Amino acid sequence: MELVPGNTLITATPDEGRALAVKLARLTVKATQPDAEVRQRLRLAYAEDHHSLIAIAQVVATEYATIAAANNHWR
Ligand code: HEM
């Protein structure tokens, strides 16, 4: 499985960078639980659980911090 799509963290805009952060987070879940049927089943639970959703936001924020650094978005 390709864990970094296109094998690069470089993105044209911060918005694209954040979309990549969401993608990377989802790929981590897929790598951890390769069974699509199991993910489908668990999706119902996390999609309606506020703590799960907040946890997801944190994972995405961590991925995005890395991507932003790679792109020098802070300058
Ligand atoms: C769908 C993000 C964790 C299973 C989605 C969608 C997003 C997303 C943005 C698309 C929603 C939509 O377009 O309707 C994330 C992020 C995660 C995460 C950022 C963690 C950091 C999980 C986990 C599971 C899961 C833990 C289950 C084990 C699914 C499934 C779908 C989905 C089955 C539906 C896919 C589809 O209908 O094509 N997720 N998710 N996700 N997620 Fe997650």
Side-chain angles (χ1 to χ4, degrees):
M1 186 200 306
E2 197 180 32
L3 286 172
V4 179
N7 203 26
T8 180
L9 295 182
I10 304 306
T11 61
T13 64
D15 197 63
E16 276 180 27
R18 216 157 127 62
L20 176 60
V22 174
K23 182 86 180 161
L24 294 186
R26 293 187 73 183
L27 284 171
T28 300
V29 172
K30 193 174 177 186
T32 308
Q33 177 47 269
D35 189 327
E37 190 274 325
V38 173
R39 290 197 308 270
Q40 201 71 46
R41 181 154 33 85
L42 296 179
R43 158 91 173 146
L44 295 173
Y46 95 74
E48 303 221 356
D49 179 78
H50 53 293
H51 288 132
S52 295
L53 295 170
I54 292 167
I56 281 173
Q58 191 165 13
V59 173
V60 171
T62 303
E63 296 283 12
Y64 187 44
T66 306
I67 292 163
N71 285 277
N72 202 18
H73 284 328
W74 305 125
R75 77 192 179 291

